[in-house]
Amino acid sequence: MTQIEATPKPRRNTELALLILALAVGIGANALVGVDQEKAFDQDFWFQSSLLAAAALVFHVVLRVRAKYADPVILPLVVALNGLGLAMIHRLDAPGDDTGNNQLRWTLIAMAVAIAVIWFLKDHRILRRFTFISLAASALLLILPLIPGISAGEILGARVWIKLGPMTFQPGEIAKITLAIFFAGYLSSNRDLILLAGRKLGPLQFPRVKDMGPMITAWLVSIGVLIFQRDLGSSVLFFGLFIVMIYVATSRISWVVIGVALILGGGYVASKVFSHVGLRIDGWLNAFTDEVYGRQFGGSFQIVEGLFGMANGGLVGTGLGQGRPNLVPFANSDMIIASFGEELGLIGLFAIVLMYLLLFTRGFRAALGTRDAFGKLLACGLSFAIALQCFVVIGGVTRLIPLTGLTTPFLAAGGSSLLANWIIVGLLLMISHAARGPVDTTPMPQGAAPAEEKPVPPSPPRPAKQPGRQPSSTHPDAPTEAVKQL
Amino acid sequence: MNHAIRNSWIAAVAMFALIFGALSYVQVVGADELQANPWNKRAILQNYCNDRGAIIVGGKPVAQSVAATESCKFQRTYTEPELYAGITGYFSKNYGVTGLESALNEQLAGSSDQLFLDRVGQLFLGNQPKGASVELTLDPAIQKLAYDLIPDGQRGSIVVTNPKTGDILATVSKPSYDPNLIATQDANAEAANFNELNKVPGINLNPNVSGPTGALLAPGSVFKLVDTAAALSSGKYNKDSELPNPAEMSFPGIQYKLPNYAGGNCYTQNTASFAFALQQSCNTPFASIARDLGQKAIADQAAKFGFGEDLGDQLKLDYAKKAFPEEELDPAGLAQSAIGQRDVRATPLQIALMTSAIANGGVQMRPNLIKTVRSPDLRVISEPKPEVLRTSTSPEISRQITEWMTSVVSEGIGRGAAVPGVQVAGKTGTAELGTDGLNNSWFTGFAPANDPQVSVTIVMQGVDITTGAQLTSPNAKKIFEAVLNK
């Protein structure tokens, strides 16, 4: 796939056209949601729509300036998904609820951070310098929710939130990114050692403990902490991320086989040892029995209600604002896919799932196109993480696999998840810029200061930060999704 | 590396293929089955604004649809709402449907097959669809009396049935609530009321939690009736058996000792007849029966009385059914379970059915709330006949237990329930809730003993011994008098 193109094309105008389409989808959905109610086309609607459109256009302009060869499809896809999510959350807000505005606030913060990443980082390869810092950051982020005083305690059965002033935050979402950076950095430096040095045992070649040590440690720590925090979904996600990245680095299918065997074995042991895991599996297998359905904690009520909602939607859906998705618990977060299934029908959900498919495919495309191993590993890992997260969430909601508490990227209410996924988008855009742009033969600047501390270049064509957005990013005063859900 | 990246992409696409399959299954292939599921409230809510049939008690509607606004033509209203809330449930736009509103929806909404011709008529005449009305077996005077016998602020339930037919004459619980607050079409008020009511201890409006009379409570000494029936039917015991009655019972290898009931005269004898043991509610004789017969014999007898089994009641109060423990109990655990403590739980209706079976010669009748169902033109379309649910014990054994229960009221600790000129059979129970001296206080019995017309089961939750004694047996007396003097 690395055919030489005659002259790389930026394709920013394509992006602009698609972006307008994406905004039309998101804002149109939001308008439809309000049509039935008195609040149709009120001040809030215009306020929210114009802010979303402005932020998307600023993002587009930043790409024109800083990453003009970036993939033109990624940003419109994400804006459309994010806009649809906003519309559905707004639609599900009971009178007096403010989840919709809160989600918009987080969207703007997340986009600002993603813009900042693109603006200041300039080249994704710089991240490779932070391989071990990323490992330390991941460990810190994962341990934070367990530290008394910082921890927000156990919310909905999991200890994954920390207090940030009046808000709560889920640092594990960010750890997803830092772990991917660590895996990519470590594997790209050591893949030869892992591949070649080591003992052969039967058909399998085992690398030296010395070479695999940091990987195994990182993996064990993350899984261990997550089990301790009772965050089943993230455990699966990290495990998948780990497997796919080590597979891409070594091209050895044996890793995948071992990994999948470990997942199944570990899952079986966990279901026997940890009651919450056992309950999840029971709620999945026996969802339609009286006992499991009526159980107050860890029952199947949520998933069964979600299935009823989706069945009610059928092929074409009830129409936005016409169904009853609010009969399902967590209709705007964990179960938002069921809400879409009910109101947009199978056709609408297929469209949404196809958008995810396109999104991760463009991510993989960037991985194929970029020339450095680090970038390949990072793009591939992050793209696969998006795909796996969608699979775990949608599979759980449709009762294909047991339901675990993961958020649907960009759609579900939740600030931490939005922030993390927008940063991922920023990274993918940069990698795709490197992949699609003209071959850069100049060596990377050596000894540059860490990107975050770099001063703003003296004469950027446009200011990096938009006035008016900053205040909201420093004073988000509404409670986050976690508090709302209580 | 690119080869592995492509394979990872294929894996991600494969996961998405599974998602597409699962979504298609839920929303199209399996949708009809999910739509028809009795737990699915969406079908009911589709007819939210239609004219539903009334629920009638003693000739007067307690739930009916009245003309409302142009956009939503009918509004559900409840008269004497608190008195009947536990039976009618609520019919809410956003929080679903509970109680008989849900259980009898086919009739009330007019979608029952028996109303097919009515529906055809409505179609041709262009009339509003109209549902059938349902008259209940409840006696409004007894219902009101029972409700007032539970003091405000006290949690408790009373169930009054006719043991020969299974008809329920009264079923009340406190705290109760006003279903009009949830059935309102004003969404803001509805949400506020729902949240407010759910904060009251003892009220749980979740549509999938059993109503208050479906609460699972430790039955305490009323469970000794099960032990007695098990003992007699084993053949190892007869009416003249002398049971060991030590002041306390010890178990091999542990410190714990099971004490005898301190409130009565148990301490006066080292052995006891069945009559004495039941009259004074001694613990150790029944613990020794359980030790002698073994766990399975007790569990089997409990199941014959309906513990853990389907009760077939229209309110589906057996939602939270609980059997006698199945996992193997240690000797102390078996002894405690035999006196209705430890993990043994029952709903007030379950205990009422056990007593009714004893009253009805060992035959348990299906509990029934429906007297007649009438089409909109007042034609009777169904009229449930008494139905045998199961045989709990033999006529001889039930006659023997009745004799002993009569002596509990005539000379034992159930004297408060005695009605002059009528033979009353009864059994009291005190289930300790913890170490704070608070109990669940029970009375269950029937009258007249030789020709049972009425069975009464009362439970008061979280009371001290004295209050419990005042609120159970004497209240049963008032209900017996009220029913028998009609």
Side-chain angles (χ1 to χ4, degrees), chain B residues 220-233 237 274 283 285-287 289-290 293 298 301-302 305 324 334-335 337-340 401:
Chain B
S221 299
V222 295
F223 191 80
K224 289 169 184 170
L225 296 173
V226 175
D227 304 330
T228 308
L232 292 178
S233 57
Y237 297 83
F274 272 110
N283 291 333
F286 296 98
I289 286 176
L293 298 179
I298 306 293
Q301 182 62 57
F305 277 120
F324 191 79
L334 177 58
S337 301
I339 58 168
I401 297 176

PDB file of all heavy atoms in Angstrom, chain B residues 220-233 237 274 283 285-287 289-290 293 298 301-302 305 324 334-335 337-340 401:
ATOM      1  N   GLY B 220     -39.381 -16.003  60.591  1.00  0.00           N
ATOM      2  CA  GLY B 220     -39.340 -16.340  62.011  1.00  0.00           C
ATOM      3  C   GLY B 220     -40.209 -17.547  62.311  1.00  0.00           C
ATOM      4  O   GLY B 220     -40.329 -18.480  61.503  1.00  0.00           O
ATOM      5  N   SER B 221     -40.869 -17.510  63.476  1.00  0.00           N
ATOM      6  CA  SER B 221     -41.502 -18.721  64.005  1.00  0.00           C
ATOM      7  C   SER B 221     -42.690 -19.212  63.201  1.00  0.00           C
ATOM      8  O   SER B 221     -43.117 -20.351  63.394  1.00  0.00           O
ATOM      9  CB  SER B 221     -41.945 -18.498  65.445  1.00  0.00           C
ATOM     10  OG  SER B 221     -40.812 -18.213  66.219  1.00  0.00           O
ATOM     11  N   VAL B 222     -43.287 -18.387  62.329  1.00  0.00           N
ATOM     12  CA  VAL B 222     -44.393 -18.932  61.550  1.00  0.00           C
ATOM     13  C   VAL B 222     -43.886 -20.073  60.662  1.00  0.00           C
ATOM     14  O   VAL B 222     -44.655 -20.924  60.219  1.00  0.00           O
ATOM     15  CB  VAL B 222     -45.123 -17.865  60.700  1.00  0.00           C
ATOM     16  CG1 VAL B 222     -45.799 -16.839  61.584  1.00  0.00           C
ATOM     17  CG2 VAL B 222     -44.189 -17.186  59.730  1.00  0.00           C
ATOM     18  N   PHE B 223     -42.574 -20.108  60.431  1.00  0.00           N
ATOM     19  CA  PHE B 223     -42.014 -21.185  59.614  1.00  0.00           C
ATOM     20  C   PHE B 223     -42.085 -22.529  60.341  1.00  0.00           C
ATOM     21  O   PHE B 223     -41.957 -23.590  59.724  1.00  0.00           O
ATOM     22  CB  PHE B 223     -40.560 -20.855  59.255  1.00  0.00           C
ATOM     23  CG  PHE B 223     -39.978 -21.756  58.204  1.00  0.00           C
ATOM     24  CD1 PHE B 223     -40.257 -21.557  56.861  1.00  0.00           C
ATOM     25  CD2 PHE B 223     -39.170 -22.840  58.550  1.00  0.00           C
ATOM     26  CE1 PHE B 223     -39.744 -22.392  55.893  1.00  0.00           C
ATOM     27  CE2 PHE B 223     -38.654 -23.683  57.581  1.00  0.00           C
ATOM     28  CZ  PHE B 223     -38.943 -23.459  56.258  1.00  0.00           C
ATOM     29  N   LYS B 224     -42.302 -22.497  61.672  1.00  0.00           N
ATOM     30  CA  LYS B 224     -42.381 -23.762  62.426  1.00  0.00           C
ATOM     31  C   LYS B 224     -43.551 -24.621  61.954  1.00  0.00           C
ATOM     32  O   LYS B 224     -43.564 -25.829  62.163  1.00  0.00           O
ATOM     33  CB  LYS B 224     -42.499 -23.471  63.927  1.00  0.00           C
ATOM     34  CG  LYS B 224     -41.196 -22.917  64.508  1.00  0.00           C
ATOM     35  CD  LYS B 224     -41.372 -22.395  65.905  1.00  0.00           C
ATOM     36  CE  LYS B 224     -40.059 -21.758  66.393  1.00  0.00           C
ATOM     37  NZ  LYS B 224     -40.247 -21.027  67.642  1.00  0.00           N
ATOM     38  N   LEU B 225     -44.533 -23.994  61.307  1.00  0.00           N
ATOM     39  CA  LEU B 225     -45.643 -24.778  60.737  1.00  0.00           C
ATOM     40  C   LEU B 225     -45.111 -25.710  59.647  1.00  0.00           C
ATOM     41  O   LEU B 225     -45.602 -26.831  59.474  1.00  0.00           O
ATOM     42  CB  LEU B 225     -46.718 -23.846  60.179  1.00  0.00           C
ATOM     43  CG  LEU B 225     -47.421 -22.961  61.221  1.00  0.00           C
ATOM     44  CD1 LEU B 225     -48.343 -21.962  60.544  1.00  0.00           C
ATOM     45  CD2 LEU B 225     -48.189 -23.825  62.221  1.00  0.00           C
ATOM     46  N   VAL B 226     -44.107 -25.248  58.908  1.00  0.00           N
ATOM     47  CA  VAL B 226     -43.508 -26.102  57.877  1.00  0.00           C
ATOM     48  C   VAL B 226     -42.816 -27.294  58.535  1.00  0.00           C
ATOM     49  O   VAL B 226     -42.977 -28.443  58.115  1.00  0.00           O
ATOM     50  CB  VAL B 226     -42.501 -25.295  57.024  1.00  0.00           C
ATOM     51  CG1 VAL B 226     -41.785 -26.196  56.025  1.00  0.00           C
ATOM     52  CG2 VAL B 226     -43.199 -24.147  56.310  1.00  0.00           C
ATOM     53  N   ASP B 227     -42.036 -27.005  59.612  1.00  0.00           N
ATOM     54  CA  ASP B 227     -41.354 -28.099  60.325  1.00  0.00           C
ATOM     55  C   ASP B 227     -42.372 -29.123  60.826  1.00  0.00           C
ATOM     56  O   ASP B 227     -42.150 -30.334  60.742  1.00  0.00           O
ATOM     57  CB  ASP B 227     -40.584 -27.558  61.539  1.00  0.00           C
ATOM     58  CG  ASP B 227     -39.598 -26.480  61.147  1.00  0.00           C
ATOM     59  OD1 ASP B 227     -39.098 -26.531  60.009  1.00  0.00           O
ATOM     60  OD2 ASP B 227     -39.366 -25.578  61.966  1.00  0.00           O
ATOM     61  N   THR B 228     -43.467 -28.605  61.370  1.00  0.00           N
ATOM     62  CA  THR B 228     -44.479 -29.495  61.933  1.00  0.00           C
ATOM     63  C   THR B 228     -45.056 -30.406  60.846  1.00  0.00           C
ATOM     64  O   THR B 228     -45.171 -31.625  61.035  1.00  0.00           O
ATOM     65  CB  THR B 228     -45.604 -28.657  62.574  1.00  0.00           C
ATOM     66  OG1 THR B 228     -45.009 -27.728  63.475  1.00  0.00           O
ATOM     67  CG2 THR B 228     -46.570 -29.530  63.331  1.00  0.00           C
ATOM     68  N   ALA B 229     -45.408 -29.811  59.721  1.00  0.00           N
ATOM     69  CA  ALA B 229     -45.957 -30.626  58.634  1.00  0.00           C
ATOM     70  C   ALA B 229     -44.932 -31.645  58.150  1.00  0.00           C
ATOM     71  O   ALA B 229     -45.263 -32.809  57.885  1.00  0.00           O
ATOM     72  CB  ALA B 229     -46.384 -29.716  57.472  1.00  0.00           C
ATOM     73  N   ALA B 230     -43.664 -31.220  58.059  1.00  0.00           N
ATOM     74  CA  ALA B 230     -42.609 -32.144  57.621  1.00  0.00           C
ATOM     75  C   ALA B 230     -42.472 -33.294  58.602  1.00  0.00           C
ATOM     76  O   ALA B 230     -42.335 -34.460  58.214  1.00  0.00           O
ATOM     77  CB  ALA B 230     -41.283 -31.398  57.483  1.00  0.00           C
ATOM     78  N   ALA B 231     -42.528 -32.984  59.900  1.00  0.00           N
ATOM     79  CA  ALA B 231     -42.375 -34.016  60.926  1.00  0.00           C
ATOM     80  C   ALA B 231     -43.503 -35.034  60.830  1.00  0.00           C
ATOM     81  O   ALA B 231     -43.269 -36.247  60.825  1.00  0.00           O
ATOM     82  CB  ALA B 231     -42.351 -33.360  62.308  1.00  0.00           C
ATOM     83  N   LEU B 232     -44.742 -34.531  60.717  1.00  0.00           N
ATOM     84  CA  LEU B 232     -45.883 -35.448  60.696  1.00  0.00           C
ATOM     85  C   LEU B 232     -45.873 -36.306  59.423  1.00  0.00           C
ATOM     86  O   LEU B 232     -46.187 -37.494  59.471  1.00  0.00           O
ATOM     87  CB  LEU B 232     -47.189 -34.671  60.813  1.00  0.00           C
ATOM     88  CG  LEU B 232     -47.420 -33.979  62.170  1.00  0.00           C
ATOM     89  CD1 LEU B 232     -48.718 -33.191  62.156  1.00  0.00           C
ATOM     90  CD2 LEU B 232     -47.428 -34.986  63.320  1.00  0.00           C
ATOM     91  N   SER B 233     -45.524 -35.704  58.308  1.00  0.00           N
ATOM     92  CA  SER B 233     -45.606 -36.496  57.080  1.00  0.00           C
ATOM     93  C   SER B 233     -44.425 -37.454  56.938  1.00  0.00           C
ATOM     94  O   SER B 233     -44.469 -38.370  56.118  1.00  0.00           O
ATOM     95  CB  SER B 233     -45.715 -35.589  55.851  1.00  0.00           C
ATOM     96  OG  SER B 233     -44.622 -34.718  55.830  1.00  0.00           O
ATOM     97  N   TYR B 237     -42.894 -38.980  63.433  1.00  0.00           N
ATOM     98  CA  TYR B 237     -43.535 -38.276  64.542  1.00  0.00           C
ATOM     99  C   TYR B 237     -45.043 -38.451  64.410  1.00  0.00           C
ATOM    100  O   TYR B 237     -45.565 -38.639  63.313  1.00  0.00           O
ATOM    101  CB  TYR B 237     -43.211 -36.788  64.511  1.00  0.00           C
ATOM    102  CG  TYR B 237     -41.745 -36.473  64.692  1.00  0.00           C
ATOM    103  CD1 TYR B 237     -40.876 -36.530  63.610  1.00  0.00           C
ATOM    104  CD2 TYR B 237     -41.238 -36.105  65.932  1.00  0.00           C
ATOM    105  CE1 TYR B 237     -39.535 -36.244  63.763  1.00  0.00           C
ATOM    106  CE2 TYR B 237     -39.894 -35.808  66.094  1.00  0.00           C
ATOM    107  CZ  TYR B 237     -39.050 -35.872  65.005  1.00  0.00           C
ATOM    108  OH  TYR B 237     -37.728 -35.591  65.169  1.00  0.00           O
ATOM    109  N   PHE B 274     -45.979 -31.323  70.668  1.00  0.00           N
ATOM    110  CA  PHE B 274     -46.130 -30.374  69.571  1.00  0.00           C
ATOM    111  C   PHE B 274     -46.990 -29.196  70.017  1.00  0.00           C
ATOM    112  O   PHE B 274     -46.690 -28.035  69.720  1.00  0.00           O
ATOM    113  CB  PHE B 274     -46.787 -31.056  68.364  1.00  0.00           C
ATOM    114  CG  PHE B 274     -45.796 -31.717  67.440  1.00  0.00           C
ATOM    115  CD1 PHE B 274     -45.717 -33.098  67.342  1.00  0.00           C
ATOM    116  CD2 PHE B 274     -44.958 -30.949  66.655  1.00  0.00           C
ATOM    117  CE1 PHE B 274     -44.823 -33.695  66.481  1.00  0.00           C
ATOM    118  CE2 PHE B 274     -44.059 -31.547  65.787  1.00  0.00           C
ATOM    119  CZ  PHE B 274     -43.989 -32.927  65.698  1.00  0.00           C
ATOM    120  N   ASN B 283     -38.009 -22.895  70.427  1.00  0.00           N
ATOM    121  CA  ASN B 283     -37.142 -23.060  69.258  1.00  0.00           C
ATOM    122  C   ASN B 283     -36.527 -24.444  69.165  1.00  0.00           C
ATOM    123  O   ASN B 283     -36.455 -25.042  68.089  1.00  0.00           O
ATOM    124  CB  ASN B 283     -36.014 -22.032  69.290  1.00  0.00           C
ATOM    125  CG  ASN B 283     -36.537 -20.623  69.065  1.00  0.00           C
ATOM    126  OD1 ASN B 283     -37.564 -20.443  68.428  1.00  0.00           O
ATOM    127  ND2 ASN B 283     -35.842 -19.657  69.611  1.00  0.00           N
ATOM    128  N   PRO B 285     -37.250 -27.542  70.079  1.00  0.00           N
ATOM    129  CA  PRO B 285     -37.921 -28.749  69.556  1.00  0.00           C
ATOM    130  C   PRO B 285     -37.904 -28.795  68.028  1.00  0.00           C
ATOM    131  O   PRO B 285     -37.684 -29.854  67.436  1.00  0.00           O
ATOM    132  CB  PRO B 285     -39.363 -28.607  70.074  1.00  0.00           C
ATOM    133  CG  PRO B 285     -39.275 -27.714  71.246  1.00  0.00           C
ATOM    134  CD  PRO B 285     -38.139 -26.782  70.966  1.00  0.00           C
ATOM    135  N   PHE B 286     -38.088 -27.626  67.401  1.00  0.00           N
ATOM    136  CA  PHE B 286     -38.151 -27.614  65.933  1.00  0.00           C
ATOM    137  C   PHE B 286     -36.765 -27.735  65.318  1.00  0.00           C
ATOM    138  O   PHE B 286     -36.573 -28.349  64.272  1.00  0.00           O
ATOM    139  CB  PHE B 286     -38.883 -26.355  65.454  1.00  0.00           C
ATOM    140  CG  PHE B 286     -40.313 -26.348  65.893  1.00  0.00           C
ATOM    141  CD1 PHE B 286     -40.718 -25.641  67.015  1.00  0.00           C
ATOM    142  CD2 PHE B 286     -41.255 -27.121  65.221  1.00  0.00           C
ATOM    143  CE1 PHE B 286     -42.030 -25.677  67.448  1.00  0.00           C
ATOM    144  CE2 PHE B 286     -42.576 -27.158  65.650  1.00  0.00           C
ATOM    145  CZ  PHE B 286     -42.965 -26.439  66.769  1.00  0.00           C
ATOM    146  N   ALA B 287     -35.777 -27.171  66.031  1.00  0.00           N
ATOM    147  CA  ALA B 287     -34.407 -27.347  65.564  1.00  0.00           C
ATOM    148  C   ALA B 287     -34.033 -28.823  65.602  1.00  0.00           C
ATOM    149  O   ALA B 287     -33.358 -29.338  64.712  1.00  0.00           O
ATOM    150  CB  ALA B 287     -33.454 -26.523  66.424  1.00  0.00           C
ATOM    151  N   ILE B 289     -36.126 -31.345  65.353  1.00  0.00           N
ATOM    152  CA  ILE B 289     -36.851 -32.026  64.259  1.00  0.00           C
ATOM    153  C   ILE B 289     -36.061 -31.887  62.958  1.00  0.00           C
ATOM    154  O   ILE B 289     -35.838 -32.852  62.225  1.00  0.00           O
ATOM    155  CB  ILE B 289     -38.259 -31.404  64.077  1.00  0.00           C
ATOM    156  CG1 ILE B 289     -39.174 -31.838  65.217  1.00  0.00           C
ATOM    157  CG2 ILE B 289     -38.857 -31.829  62.730  1.00  0.00           C
ATOM    158  CD1 ILE B 289     -40.545 -31.201  65.154  1.00  0.00           C
ATOM    159  N   ALA B 290     -35.583 -30.657  62.691  1.00  0.00           N
ATOM    160  CA  ALA B 290     -34.839 -30.428  61.456  1.00  0.00           C
ATOM    161  C   ALA B 290     -33.569 -31.251  61.434  1.00  0.00           C
ATOM    162  O   ALA B 290     -33.194 -31.827  60.418  1.00  0.00           O
ATOM    163  CB  ALA B 290     -34.516 -28.941  61.313  1.00  0.00           C
ATOM    164  N   LEU B 293     -34.733 -34.877  60.726  1.00  0.00           N
ATOM    165  CA  LEU B 293     -35.255 -35.173  59.380  1.00  0.00           C
ATOM    166  C   LEU B 293     -34.262 -34.828  58.278  1.00  0.00           C
ATOM    167  O   LEU B 293     -34.324 -35.395  57.180  1.00  0.00           O
ATOM    168  CB  LEU B 293     -36.557 -34.404  59.137  1.00  0.00           C
ATOM    169  CG  LEU B 293     -37.735 -34.730  60.051  1.00  0.00           C
ATOM    170  CD1 LEU B 293     -38.920 -33.854  59.680  1.00  0.00           C
ATOM    171  CD2 LEU B 293     -38.116 -36.200  59.953  1.00  0.00           C
ATOM    172  N   ILE B 298     -37.082 -30.723  55.137  1.00  0.00           N
ATOM    173  CA  ILE B 298     -37.652 -29.398  55.428  1.00  0.00           C
ATOM    174  C   ILE B 298     -37.825 -28.621  54.117  1.00  0.00           C
ATOM    175  O   ILE B 298     -38.869 -28.003  53.872  1.00  0.00           O
ATOM    176  CB  ILE B 298     -36.734 -28.619  56.398  1.00  0.00           C
ATOM    177  CG1 ILE B 298     -36.461 -29.441  57.661  1.00  0.00           C
ATOM    178  CG2 ILE B 298     -37.359 -27.263  56.745  1.00  0.00           C
ATOM    179  CD1 ILE B 298     -37.634 -29.670  58.546  1.00  0.00           C
ATOM    180  N   GLN B 301     -40.790 -29.868  52.111  1.00  0.00           N
ATOM    181  CA  GLN B 301     -42.077 -29.448  52.658  1.00  0.00           C
ATOM    182  C   GLN B 301     -42.306 -27.956  52.384  1.00  0.00           C
ATOM    183  O   GLN B 301     -43.415 -27.540  52.050  1.00  0.00           O
ATOM    184  CB  GLN B 301     -42.134 -29.741  54.169  1.00  0.00           C
ATOM    185  CG  GLN B 301     -43.463 -29.389  54.810  1.00  0.00           C
ATOM    186  CD  GLN B 301     -44.628 -30.195  54.222  1.00  0.00           C
ATOM    187  OE1 GLN B 301     -44.615 -31.427  54.229  1.00  0.00           O
ATOM    188  NE2 GLN B 301     -45.611 -29.495  53.671  1.00  0.00           N
ATOM    189  N   ALA B 302     -41.233 -27.161  52.513  1.00  0.00           N
ATOM    190  CA  ALA B 302     -41.356 -25.721  52.251  1.00  0.00           C
ATOM    191  C   ALA B 302     -41.801 -25.505  50.802  1.00  0.00           C
ATOM    192  O   ALA B 302     -42.681 -24.688  50.523  1.00  0.00           O
ATOM    193  CB  ALA B 302     -40.032 -25.017  52.527  1.00  0.00           C
ATOM    194  N   PHE B 305     -45.378 -25.984  50.283  1.00  0.00           N
ATOM    195  CA  PHE B 305     -46.172 -24.835  50.708  1.00  0.00           C
ATOM    196  C   PHE B 305     -45.969 -23.635  49.777  1.00  0.00           C
ATOM    197  O   PHE B 305     -46.550 -22.583  49.994  1.00  0.00           O
ATOM    198  CB  PHE B 305     -45.820 -24.430  52.148  1.00  0.00           C
ATOM    199  CG  PHE B 305     -46.544 -25.234  53.200  1.00  0.00           C
ATOM    200  CD1 PHE B 305     -45.849 -25.987  54.136  1.00  0.00           C
ATOM    201  CD2 PHE B 305     -47.927 -25.231  53.261  1.00  0.00           C
ATOM    202  CE1 PHE B 305     -46.516 -26.717  55.114  1.00  0.00           C
ATOM    203  CE2 PHE B 305     -48.608 -25.956  54.243  1.00  0.00           C
ATOM    204  CZ  PHE B 305     -47.900 -26.709  55.157  1.00  0.00           C
ATOM    205  N   PHE B 324     -36.338 -22.375  50.444  1.00  0.00           N
ATOM    206  CA  PHE B 324     -35.540 -22.777  51.593  1.00  0.00           C
ATOM    207  C   PHE B 324     -34.128 -23.048  51.066  1.00  0.00           C
ATOM    208  O   PHE B 324     -33.976 -23.614  49.976  1.00  0.00           O
ATOM    209  CB  PHE B 324     -36.139 -24.048  52.208  1.00  0.00           C
ATOM    210  CG  PHE B 324     -35.558 -24.408  53.552  1.00  0.00           C
ATOM    211  CD1 PHE B 324     -35.964 -23.745  54.695  1.00  0.00           C
ATOM    212  CD2 PHE B 324     -34.598 -25.402  53.657  1.00  0.00           C
ATOM    213  CE1 PHE B 324     -35.426 -24.076  55.919  1.00  0.00           C
ATOM    214  CE2 PHE B 324     -34.059 -25.732  54.892  1.00  0.00           C
ATOM    215  CZ  PHE B 324     -34.482 -25.067  56.020  1.00  0.00           C
ATOM    216  N   LEU B 334     -28.744 -25.030  59.835  1.00  0.00           N
ATOM    217  CA  LEU B 334     -30.005 -25.745  59.634  1.00  0.00           C
ATOM    218  C   LEU B 334     -30.961 -25.466  60.792  1.00  0.00           C
ATOM    219  O   LEU B 334     -32.158 -25.220  60.590  1.00  0.00           O
ATOM    220  CB  LEU B 334     -29.734 -27.249  59.507  1.00  0.00           C
ATOM    221  CG  LEU B 334     -30.977 -28.128  59.358  1.00  0.00           C
ATOM    222  CD1 LEU B 334     -31.804 -27.728  58.157  1.00  0.00           C
ATOM    223  CD2 LEU B 334     -30.590 -29.602  59.250  1.00  0.00           C
ATOM    224  N   ALA B 335     -30.397 -25.448  62.019  1.00  0.00           N
ATOM    225  CA  ALA B 335     -31.237 -25.185  63.182  1.00  0.00           C
ATOM    226  C   ALA B 335     -31.850 -23.797  63.089  1.00  0.00           C
ATOM    227  O   ALA B 335     -33.048 -23.603  63.311  1.00  0.00           O
ATOM    228  CB  ALA B 335     -30.408 -25.323  64.459  1.00  0.00           C
ATOM    229  N   SER B 337     -32.288 -22.004  60.363  1.00  0.00           N
ATOM    230  CA  SER B 337     -33.212 -21.932  59.230  1.00  0.00           C
ATOM    231  C   SER B 337     -34.548 -22.565  59.586  1.00  0.00           C
ATOM    232  O   SER B 337     -35.603 -22.120  59.136  1.00  0.00           O
ATOM    233  CB  SER B 337     -32.610 -22.645  58.019  1.00  0.00           C
ATOM    234  OG  SER B 337     -31.391 -22.059  57.666  1.00  0.00           O
ATOM    235  N   ALA B 338     -34.502 -23.621  60.413  1.00  0.00           N
ATOM    236  CA  ALA B 338     -35.734 -24.328  60.761  1.00  0.00           C
ATOM    237  C   ALA B 338     -36.681 -23.446  61.562  1.00  0.00           C
ATOM    238  O   ALA B 338     -37.883 -23.706  61.612  1.00  0.00           O
ATOM    239  CB  ALA B 338     -35.403 -25.590  61.561  1.00  0.00           C
ATOM    240  N   ILE B 339     -36.145 -22.402  62.222  1.00  0.00           N
ATOM    241  CA  ILE B 339     -37.038 -21.505  62.950  1.00  0.00           C
ATOM    242  C   ILE B 339     -37.226 -20.197  62.168  1.00  0.00           C
ATOM    243  O   ILE B 339     -37.555 -19.149  62.727  1.00  0.00           O
ATOM    244  CB  ILE B 339     -36.541 -21.237  64.384  1.00  0.00           C
ATOM    245  CG1 ILE B 339     -35.129 -20.632  64.375  1.00  0.00           C
ATOM    246  CG2 ILE B 339     -36.535 -22.532  65.198  1.00  0.00           C
ATOM    247  CD1 ILE B 339     -34.706 -20.091  65.730  1.00  0.00           C
ATOM    248  N   GLY B 340     -37.003 -20.261  60.863  1.00  0.00           N
ATOM    249  CA  GLY B 340     -37.346 -19.129  59.995  1.00  0.00           C
ATOM    250  C   GLY B 340     -36.383 -17.970  60.060  1.00  0.00           C
ATOM    251  O   GLY B 340     -36.748 -16.834  59.754  1.00  0.00           O
ATOM    252  N   ILE B 401     -52.623 -29.948  62.478  1.00  0.00           N
ATOM    253  CA  ILE B 401     -51.942 -28.655  62.685  1.00  0.00           C
ATOM    254  C   ILE B 401     -52.959 -27.586  63.070  1.00  0.00           C
ATOM    255  O   ILE B 401     -52.704 -26.742  63.934  1.00  0.00           O
ATOM    256  CB  ILE B 401     -51.149 -28.258  61.413  1.00  0.00           C
ATOM    257  CG1 ILE B 401     -50.051 -29.286  61.138  1.00  0.00           C
ATOM    258  CG2 ILE B 401     -50.536 -26.872  61.581  1.00  0.00           C
ATOM    259  CD1 ILE B 401     -49.279 -29.037  59.860  1.00  0.00           C
TER     260      ILE B 401
END
